[in-house]
Amino acid sequence: VAIVELPGMRKEDIEISLHDGTLTISGERKSESVEGEKAERTERVTGKFRRSITLPARVESDKVNATYKDGILMVTLPKAEDAKPKQIQVSLK
């Protein structure tokens, strides 16, 4: 699971891609100033962003799921079956 804080973003402004074991999240936060008003101080960064995360294991790309609620993006990336650890039974001879 990858959790990213994106306060004030709209889901339409967020792009998520998965390619060769790398998860990339990008988007653009636009300024919310009202025409004619000038802010004395702004603490929210505006502009384009892009973050890439190299995944530690192979994932099933067709089962990746993303949800966005209250400024929190949660991307669920299930491990591929061949990447999961397997229990091996010991037999007696």
Side-chain angles (χ1 to χ4, degrees), residues 25-83:
I25 301 170
S26 59
E28 182 175 7
R29 180 176 287 126
K30 298 175 180 142
S31 176
E32 296 180 7
S33 63
V34 178
E35 204 171 302
E37 286 187 12
K38 216 173 195 186
E40 295 266 335
R41 179 180 174 142
T42 303
E43 297 203 10
R44 185 170 286 172
V45 178
T46 59
K48 293 182 180 185
F49 67 90
R50 180 183 189 98
R51 300 289 182 270
S52 294
I53 303 162
T54 302
L55 302 175
R58 289 178 15 108
V59 298
E60 293 189 31
S61 58
D62 57 332
K63 294 184 180 176
V64 173
N65 182 28
T67 57
Y68 183 66
K69 183 179 178 186
D70 298 330
I72 305 293
L73 174 67
M74 183 179 296
V75 183
T76 304
L77 304 134
K79 283 185 182 179
E81 284 300 318
D82 61 353

